[in-house]
Amino acid sequence: MDLVNGYLPSGTEIQYYAICHTKLWLFAHYIRMEDNSDDVIIGRIIHEDSYKREQKEIIIHDKIALDFVKKGDTLVIHEVKKEYNLVDVHRLQLMYYLWYFHHILEIWPVEGIINYPTHKTQEKVMLNDQDEMLIPEIILKIEKIVHQSSVPIPKKIRPCSKCAYFEFCWV
Amino acid sequence: MRNFYLIKNGELIRKHDTLYFIAKKEPANSNEDFILEDDTIESFCELDDESTKPEYEKKALPIEQIDAIFLYGRISLTSGAIGLLAKKQIPTHIFSYYGQYLSTIYPKETLLSGDLHVKQALHYANSNERLYLAKLFVKGSAANILTNIRYYERQGREISPILSSIKERIDEIEHMSSINELMALEGNIRLLYYSTFDAIMPSEFSFKERTRRPPQNPMNAMISFGNSLVYGEIITALYHTQLDPTISFLHEPSERRFSLALDIAEIFKPLIVDRSIFKLVNKKMISADDFNQNIGSCLLNENGRRLFLEEYESRLQTTIKHRSLHRKVSYKRLMYLECIKIVKHLLGLKKYEPFEIWW
Ligand code: SF4
């Protein structure tokens, strides 16, 4: 697709873009911290246990891993998340997936649902025309950040305290 | 996470996802983390079926809590055990009977960053960048040495002249224009430092001079033993980063396989090794009976190693409130953080400042 020069971020990179550009750059450059934080483990357990029955997991182009079901003509993709505090970030990630299905895989109609099993709630995500424009812009911005030669300087923000890079950024 | 020290002869085997250590039974009250059998005779350690030999026992190691394993006994490892250690990403450091570092079974590297690797190599190849980092390693080490002996000066020991000489040498670090000069200066500072030991320590632990292979007296024996432990510890820390442990700045990369660990270990020896020794000796926790003295060599014996390792490990687990993280971190973690600071330096994110004891 001309719009995005063929560069397509992973779902994780979209999330990190929305949270912190330092994190995005480090992750993209394989400066990874060993994740032994309980959060990550709990997240994985929730993911494995909660939606076993209905869904299948698919991994697309090595970038996107998600669960999906088919409802009539519409494909419904599900994301499972632990905490409620990053709703905007989760929504953006799912919007990207919807966009990906529409423009890259050319599958439509698609609907998105974010599931918060610990809160027993769901959040529906749609893609309006404005979002359709927004996503390619974000992709370009991510590409720019990832390709810049120096790390974006860390800024202290709320997510820092739970971030795997906490020690890295603040030592 | 902690280290496991096996100082007894035996065998490490795997059954499913559990690692077992098979060795001769211990008396009931012994500390299970430190098991040593004093045996210099070279022979293979083969235990075919432990169940048929009542004097042997099989112990499961708590593999999820192990950061690294240090092998001091003569220990056979099955390929299954090595596979499990790799799977759980546990580096295993092997030492000779004399306590000298021999080798590490390094699990497959999983955290590679091509970008960082290139930057590390470029910092080595650029003589200014290399010297810049090398000086900081010497500075950090010297600062911690100074903190150690200042403490004893305040206690009234006669070491003021040596202290001033060390301070003068520290001021010279900045002016060194080659790695060789810098290394010589570093050796000089260390000699001055060691020359205070006889004023700090009781006379039965008289130090005289640094002797390595083999150590000639108890003080040298403890220094050698402790220094190789710290070396192993830094190798473990490096394993958890994307740094290449073979590209160093102060030491020549050809000097040892994990030469970057030599660089970083310098900074921590005064805090971890020397202070362990001062405590063991000055509190009379260790005595001449804890060493095997032979003509031309002196080594910690079974009991001595246990004592040393217990003191050393409890020091690693000691915590301190970190000045910039505002979190409690252990001395062990400080070593890992030191590696992270080097990563940040190489990435151009923050100039490296060596760890200096701040409390
Ligand atoms: S610790 Fe904070 S600044 Fe650093 S990567 Fe995480 S969120 Fe970003």
Side-chain angles (χ1 to χ4, degrees):
Chain A
M1 210 176 155
D2 297 346
L3 195 56
V4 293
N5 299 328
Y7 174 83
L8 289 165
S10 66
T12 309
E13 285 169 331
I14 293 274
Q15 271 196 51
Y16 287 180
Y17 167 79
I19 299 170
C20 166
H21 295 176
T22 306
K23 192 170 167 132
L24 168 63
W25 191 96
L26 291 169
F27 180 84
H29 287 253
Y30 292 91
I31 312 288
R32 313 252 170 112
M33 296 294 119
E34 293 208 319
D35 260 328
N36 41 20
S37 75
D38 291 345
D39 277 3
V40 177
I41 295 162
I42 293 168
R44 201 175 57 224
I45 293 168
I46 290 174
H47 192 266
E48 281 165 6
D49 284 0
S50 308
Y51 291 86
K52 260 186 196 140
R53 280 154 296 128
E54 332 147 359
Q55 275 108 351
K56 296 170 195 155
E57 191 182 74
I58 47 168
I59 296 172
I60 303 163
H61 300 166
D62 248 359
K63 288 183 186 301
I64 294 174
L66 41 77
D67 301 317
F68 73 101
V69 284
K70 199 136 190 187
K71 250 202 223 152
D73 279 345
T74 308
L75 189 70
V76 184
I77 60 180
H78 283 266
E79 265 289 296
V80 183
K81 300 289 184 194
K82 181 167 76 86
E83 277 304 332
Y84 223 37
N85 55 4
L86 293 173
V87 179
D88 290 347
V89 175
H90 299 157
R91 202 180 288 134
L92 183 67
Q93 185 187 1
L94 204 51
M95 272 162 48
Y96 174 60
Y97 290 174
L98 296 177
W99 179 92
Y100 199 101
F101 269 76
H102 192 174
H103 295 277
I104 308 296
L105 304 176
E106 295 176 356
I107 298 172
W108 198 254
V110 192
E111 226 174 76
I113 293 177
I114 312 170
N115 301 276
Y116 296 94
T118 44
H119 299 261
K120 297 204 164 51
T121 53
Q122 291 191 327
E123 155 115 19
K124 201 165 165 175
V125 180
M126 313 274 278
L127 206 59
N128 61 33
D129 290 351
Q130 213 182 334
D131 302 330
E132 294 265 358
M133 308 291 290
L134 182 73
I135 298 290
E137 277 174 33
I138 289 178
I139 293 171
L140 286 174
K141 283 185 189 156
I142 291 177
E143 186 182 15
K144 219 172 136 205
I145 294 165
V146 166
H147 287 165
Q148 92 190 32
S149 65
S150 59
V151 203
I153 309 288
K155 291 192 201 78
K156 218 165 222 158
I157 46 171
R158 266 168 68 96
C160 287
S161 65
K162 284 195 165 183
C163 176
Y165 291 101
F166 179 86
E167 288 176 311
F168 180 92
C169 288
W170 305 111
V171 67
Chain B
M1 299 296 272
R2 64 200 173 103
N3 293 331
F4 226 78
Y5 307 92
L6 296 176
I7 50 184
K8 189 173 170 178
N9 296 339
E11 186 177 26
L12 274 170
I13 61 157
R14 169 192 192 163
K15 287 228 168 100
H16 304 293
D17 264 4
T18 309
L19 192 65
Y20 291 97
F21 184 56
I22 305 168
K24 274 210 182 114
K25 271 187 189 154
E26 279 288 292
N29 59 355
S30 65
N31 182 340
E32 294 190 359
D33 290 4
F34 307 106
I35 311 163
L36 173 92
E37 190 178 329
D38 216 348
D39 180 4
T40 46
I41 306 158
E42 272 304 328
S43 68
F44 289 107
C45 184
E46 270 179 21
L47 313 167
D48 1 301
D49 186 352
E50 67 282 355
S51 59
T52 63
K53 294 181 181 167
E55 70 272 33
Y56 285 94
E57 63 184 341
K58 188 168 89 175
K59 273 191 203 131
L61 303 190
I63 199 156
E64 303 297 339
Q65 298 161 30
I66 298 178
D67 196 36
I69 298 182
F70 290 70
L71 303 182
Y72 284 94
R74 276 188 291 105
I75 290 158
S76 317
L77 288 99
T78 63
S79 56
I82 294 171
L84 186 59
L85 290 166
K87 182 177 161 197
K88 301 285 179 181
Q89 307 200 347
I90 300 173
T92 304
H93 308 295
I94 305 169
F95 297 82
S96 75
Y97 173 72
Y98 299 99
Q100 262 177 30
Y101 172 88
L102 290 180
S103 180
T104 297
I105 304 173
Y106 207 65
K108 190 174 68 166
E109 307 211 46
T110 53
L111 299 162
L112 291 178
S113 165
D115 200 39
L116 182 71
H117 199 260
V118 168
K119 290 193 162 116
Q120 190 180 347
L122 287 174
H123 271 76
Y124 166 75
N126 178 316
S127 55
N128 288 333
E129 303 278 19
R130 179 180 171 189
L131 197 59
Y132 181 86
L133 276 171
K135 282 179 182 173
L136 289 175
F137 292 133
V138 177
K139 272 188 192 162
S141 163
N144 292 328
I145 281 175
L146 204 57
T147 308
N148 271 2
I149 55 176
R150 272 203 183 117
Y151 171 82
Y152 288 99
E153 194 203 23
R154 284 199 302 275
Q155 306 270 306
R157 312 293 163 96
E158 296 288 320
I159 47 179
S160 305
I162 304 178
L163 204 120
S164 353
S165 312
I166 292 184
K167 279 192 209 149
E168 281 165 26
R169 298 292 187 288
I170 292 177
D171 293 338
E172 288 171 30
I173 296 174
E174 204 45 65
H175 306 117
M176 297 295 104
S177 56
S178 73
I179 295 286
N180 281 343
E181 270 178 47
L182 187 62
M183 279 299 259
L185 183 64
E186 196 263 344
N188 206 266
I189 293 173
R190 203 155 272 279
L191 279 180
L192 283 166
Y193 173 51
Y194 285 138
S195 74
T196 65
F197 277 31
D198 282 342
I200 293 173
M201 240 77 60
S203 58
E204 73 260 36
F205 279 92
S206 143
F207 177 75
K208 293 193 199 84
E209 56 169 349
R210 180 82 179 104
T211 50
R212 273 168 241 262
R213 271 159 227 180
Q216 302 292 341
N217 56 34
M219 193 53 78
N220 275 294
M222 285 189 284
I223 294 174
S224 292
F225 192 75
N227 285 354
S228 34
L229 276 166
V230 169
Y231 178 63
E233 191 63 43
I234 307 277
I235 294 171
T236 309
L238 285 169
Y239 173 69
H240 295 286
T241 71
Q242 286 81 12
L243 289 167
D244 182 335
T246 67
I247 303 177
S248 53
F249 305 98
L250 176 60
H251 294 82
E252 288 301 332
S254 54
E255 190 167 336
R256 287 229 211 137
R257 183 147 141 65
F258 300 119
S259 48
L260 183 57
L262 289 179
D263 286 3
I264 303 170
E266 295 296 344
I267 300 171
F268 287 94
K269 286 172 187 172
L271 175 70
I272 313 282
V273 182
D274 304 342
R275 287 197 181 182
S276 296
I277 296 174
F278 298 156
K279 183 172 170 198
L280 286 165
V281 170
N282 285 331
K283 297 217 174 228
K284 302 204 178 350
M285 294 157 73
I286 204 161
S287 73
D289 295 344
D290 298 312
F291 297 85
N292 283 346
Q293 299 253 23
N294 292 315
I295 301 160
S297 82
C298 176
L299 299 168
L300 284 152
N301 63 22
E302 163 172 359
N303 199 48
R305 284 186 189 190
R306 273 175 210 266
L307 289 169
F308 194 97
L309 286 168
E310 278 174 33
E311 175 55 30
Y312 171 84
E313 178 65 23
S314 84
R315 196 160 291 267
L316 288 188
Q317 301 298 339
T318 304
T319 57
I320 182 89
K321 180 109 181 252
H322 196 276
R323 284 190 304 182
S324 63
L325 297 178
H326 308 297
R327 288 180 180 180
K328 273 170 99 184
V329 294
S330 62
Y331 290 4
K332 185 183 174 81
R333 196 68 179 169
L334 283 176
M335 300 193 211
Y336 169 77
L337 293 175
E338 203 63 12
C339 303
I340 297 290
K341 281 154 64 183
I342 295 167
V343 173
K344 289 176 76 169
H345 179 91
L346 299 177
L347 290 177
L349 194 54
K350 189 179 176 190
K351 289 248 176 249
Y352 173 62
E353 285 174 33
F355 159 74
E356 291 182 13
I357 303 169
W358 66 74
W359 57 93

